[in-house]
Amino acid sequence: MENNPKMRQWLNNFELDHPLVIAGPCSAETEEQVLKIAHELKDTDVTAFRAGIWKPRTRPGNFEGVGAIGLKWLQRVKEETGMLTCTEVANRAHVQLALEHDIDILWIGARSTVSPFIVQEIADALEGTDKIVLVKNPVNPDLSLWLGGIERLYTANIKNLGVIHRGFSAYEKTKYRNNPEWQIVVELQNRFPDLPLICDPSHIAGRRDILQDICQTALDLNFDGLMVETHWDPDNAWSDAAQQITPTRLVQMMEDLKIRKETDDDAEYKNKLNTMRTQIDVIDAGLLESLSKRMKIANEIGELKKGHNVAVLQSKRWNEILGKMILDGDEKGLSEEFILRIFKAIHQESINHQEQIINS
Ligand code: PEP
Ligand code: MN
């Protein structure tokens, strides 16, 4: 698949002067709930109304969605509010029902993107339609799997495509429900700059209080839109209660977000930016030089350990170094998460080198 400027056409057609906003509840619960939320979102910047009809739940026994009846409620939303409708599909039967009920935007959920069989089934069922299809990232941080899903749709001649970033699951608990791993999305963006990119801060956060920060980061990274779970009574939602916000809160959040321009032609701005970018380039070259010097010494240590038949991994020393780095890093304004990540990577590279030396 190649980058194709036509991929943005569906988004350009909306002629928005703000990011695309898709909002609505995690799950359609009752006809009244769906319509109440939809009417509260009418006359805001929301272009499309989302609601999950078939809910993929991690554990059985939770609310699994109202099923096809919910599609009728979405049709009423479109008739009564003029918003487009948007739901998740996970198999051929879902696609057929969604097409019959004239749903405008379909998304493929994170648990489906991991399965090439499911994505292919959905792509085959959609072939030849002009639906807008948004592919959520797979639950695991694997860019190829995500790209593979997009390619399957593209190859089935579905050209109105976009992606949704909803974060990646990890075994270690962090403040996020799903880690953003922004670097993965930035790589996707570099490879396919014309593929519309939407952030789903709700599933990244898993909680209300950090939604706005996540949205701001997404907009700072030039995302094209946001998909935000919105409920008239979030605390009593039948799924994902902790992360949903009211329509009023959504409107406030949109007002508070700073929407930045992609660039500016002002000469002074460009000059300053160029100078600082050059400074960064110089520092990066120095970092690389230091890493290479460090690795040379690690290699010599490897030789020494080999000569004395000593094991590569010296956990005690390593834990001491790490503890000190975290403290020093904190003083210099660098987060513990960043220090751990970077030094674990450096340490692993040294171990790999020493392993090779010892076993040679
Ligand atoms: C959802 O959008 O409600 C959903 C189930 O999302 P995900 O596939 O990202 O978990
Ligand atoms: Mn949800």
Side-chain angles (χ1 to χ4, degrees):
M1 186 174 107
E2 278 174 17
N3 184 55
N4 179 351
K6 289 202 187 120
M7 291 196 279
R8 301 195 75 71
Q9 200 51 53
W10 66 267
L11 185 60
N12 294 342
N13 288 346
F14 290 141
E15 296 183 351
L16 302 172
D17 58 3
H18 55 76
L20 173 73
V21 187
I22 302 173
C26 176
S27 307
E29 298 165 2
T30 63
E31 187 165 18
E32 293 67 36
Q33 172 247 17
V34 165
L35 287 159
K36 185 168 166 59
I37 301 168
H39 279 281
E40 288 185 26
L41 290 172
K42 192 179 172 225
D43 303 325
T44 67
D45 281 349
V46 175
T47 300
F49 182 84
R50 66 150 280 157
I53 303 294
W54 300 283
K55 298 303 299 177
R57 304 315 299 272
T58 304
R59 306 275 304 271
N62 292 320
F63 175 57
E64 297 199 324
V66 291
I69 182 82
L71 296 168
K72 295 216 164 41
W73 309 342
L74 287 178
Q75 277 187 304
R76 270 193 73 186
V77 167
K78 184 153 46 176
E79 280 161 23
E80 293 181 21
T81 70
M83 283 185 283
L84 299 182
T85 50
C86 178
T87 201
E88 171 172 353
V89 288
N91 60 37
R92 178 182 297 277
H94 294 168
V95 170
Q96 278 160 355
L97 283 163
L99 294 178
E100 279 166 25
H101 290 80
D102 203 23
I103 301 295
D104 304 289
I105 305 177
L106 308 178
W107 84 78
I108 298 184
R111 292 165 193 76
S112 299
T113 310
V114 290
S115 166
F117 287 137
I118 292 182
V119 179
Q120 192 60 52
E121 180 178 320
I122 296 172
D124 292 343
L126 278 166
E127 186 152 12
T129 72
D130 59 0
K131 289 294 164 193
I132 298 168
V133 185
L134 305 175
V135 185
K136 284 199 171 197
N137 63 260
V139 280
N140 54 324
D142 183 339
L143 181 56
S144 310
L145 199 53
W146 198 1
L147 286 174
I150 301 160
E151 258 162 5
R152 282 177 199 280
L153 293 160
Y154 192 80
T155 311
N157 220 6
I158 297 150
K159 294 292 189 281
N160 297 327
L161 275 176
V163 292
I164 302 177
H165 168 227
R166 50 79 79 196
F168 301 89
S169 65
Y171 185 64
E172 280 171 32
K173 284 282 151 263
T174 67
K175 70 171 175 178
Y176 302 104
R177 176 177 175 192
N178 291 291
N179 288 336
E181 312 270 13
W182 296 105
Q183 74 285 1
I184 297 181
V185 203
V186 168
E187 195 176 330
L188 176 75
Q189 216 175 10
N190 286 339
R191 284 165 69 173
F192 297 99
D194 288 314
L195 188 60
L197 176 57
I198 292 163
C199 180
D200 168 350
S202 309
H203 290 90
I204 293 177
R207 46 193 258 206
R208 268 164 231 141
D209 61 328
I210 53 173
L211 280 188
Q212 179 149 354
D213 282 350
I214 298 169
C215 290
Q216 189 62 62
T217 304
L219 296 186
D220 291 347
L221 290 171
N222 284 325
F223 275 56
D224 299 290
L226 302 168
M227 180 195 253
V228 185
E229 285 190 341
T230 313
H231 196 293
W232 72 273
D233 182 12
D235 285 335
N236 291 306
W238 295 4
S239 59
D240 290 352
Q243 69 196 32
Q244 304 207 51
I245 54 174
T246 60
T248 314
R249 175 74 198 110
L250 175 71
V251 169
Q252 185 63 50
M253 188 170 83
M254 294 309 298
E255 271 175 26
D256 293 344
L257 286 171
K258 293 180 199 64
I259 299 169
R260 307 192 216 273
K261 294 176 285 183
E262 202 164 322
T263 184
D264 193 300
D265 284 335
D266 177 63
E268 194 185 321
Y269 157 80
K270 284 191 161 170
N271 247 334
K272 275 194 183 152
L273 187 68
N274 277 340
T275 309
M276 289 190 279
R277 284 191 169 154
T278 308
Q279 289 168 343
I280 294 246
D281 288 347
V282 171
I283 294 175
D284 284 350
L287 280 177
L288 215 58
E289 195 52 44
S290 298
L291 284 174
S292 147
K293 274 191 200 145
R294 189 191 190 284
M295 215 50 72
K296 280 193 191 112
I297 299 178
N299 288 349
E300 286 170 23
I301 296 179
E303 298 285 358
L304 199 64
K305 284 179 181 166
K306 183 178 180 179
H308 290 77
N309 201 23
V310 167
V312 163
L313 186 61
Q314 301 285 320
S315 303
K316 185 163 171 289
R317 165 157 165 82
W318 173 239
N319 286 332
E320 280 166 14
I321 299 183
L322 212 50
K324 186 172 172 336
M325 287 300 174
I326 290 171
L327 288 177
D328 290 355
D330 188 49
E331 267 178 25
K332 295 184 194 315
L334 302 169
S335 73
E336 175 171 342
E337 189 198 347
F338 173 66
I339 296 288
L340 279 175
R341 206 184 262 260
I342 199 152
F343 281 98
K344 274 187 184 167
I346 292 174
H347 187 232
Q348 188 57 52
E349 183 72 5
S350 297
I351 291 183
N352 294 349
H353 278 234
Q354 294 189 356
E355 284 280 358
Q356 264 192 353
I357 291 169
I358 286 199
N359 293 316
S360 63

